[in-house]
Amino acid sequence: DAPPGWVWAGRGADKAFLYEIVANHRNGIDVDKFDYFRRDAYHLNIPVSFDCDRLIMHARAIRAPAGAWTVAYAEKEVWNVYELFRTRFNLHKRAYQHRVTHAVESMLCDSLLAAERGGFRLRGGVKPSRAMEDLDAYVSLTDFVFDAIKAQAFNDPKLKEAAALIDRVETRRLYVHAGEVVVPARGHELVATD
């Protein structure tokens, strides 16, 4: 969603539904999601049970009761929409939020922070933690940066900690997963917030 006070520029209100096609903030059904579901499921060998092509064929722009135009789907596609959100849940549970994914992500972030403490810099002398502020540094922040850290660690003992973390990821000696608790909808008051 846009920040408070933000005024959208571009097409008029009668064409606002066009934004829903790419990034639907109203219901989360958009072609961006179709694209990454298809791509990620393919590369992770996770079956996808919804048919995005069929859903697109049954999409229409309609005038909602409030008067604004919006993207809607045929009622017969309700099962397909259900399968879309089930696929989303499945990918989050089995990939995006998986304990191994979290461990690798944490270890790689820790290695970048350790490298930064050891003096490692990206293109233009930018710290990795500030790369989002410099486009040249940001585009250099690819997987190759981990190879660069390991290579520089041969001659720079201040980068040994970062290189050791990268080595642990590569050899799957990951951070230990302490546990996971599923909190029932009515049990959230039992969970400490401190």
Side-chain angles (χ1 to χ4, degrees), residues 33-43 48 50-53 91:
K33 193 171 270 87
F34 298 169
D35 175 58
Y36 76 76
F37 282 178
R38 188 178 271 181
R39 178 198 65 223
D40 295 347
Y42 173 81
H43 289 289
V48 172
F50 84 96
D51 184 351
C52 62
D53 295 325
L91 283 167

Side-chain angles (χ1 to χ4, degrees), residues 18-86:
L18 293 172
Y19 297 107
E20 293 181 8
I21 295 169
V22 177
N24 192 329
H25 297 288
R26 190 176 54 82
N27 62 23
I29 302 172
D30 53 53
V31 295
D32 180 52
K33 193 171 270 87
F34 298 169
D35 175 58
Y36 76 76
F37 282 178
R38 188 178 271 181
R39 178 198 65 223
D40 295 347
Y42 173 81
H43 289 289
L44 294 166
N45 200 26
I46 295 175
V48 172
S49 53
F50 84 96
D51 184 351
C52 62
D53 295 325
R54 180 178 169 89
L55 201 55
I56 291 170
M57 291 297 297
H58 290 280
R60 299 290 181 265
I62 65 165
R63 190 176 295 276
W69 286 91
T70 187
V71 176
Y73 302 93
E75 189 174 340
K76 66 183 178 180
E77 291 304 303
V78 69
W79 187 256
N80 206 11
V81 171
Y82 168 80
E83 289 296 317
L84 176 139
F85 285 104
R86 192 174 74 81

Side-chain angles (χ1 to χ4, degrees), residues 34 78 98 117 129 137 139 148 167 172 194:
F34 298 169
V78 69
H98 192 273
R117 285 190 305 273
S129 64
V139 298
D167 183 60
R172 291 191 57 93
D194 294 345

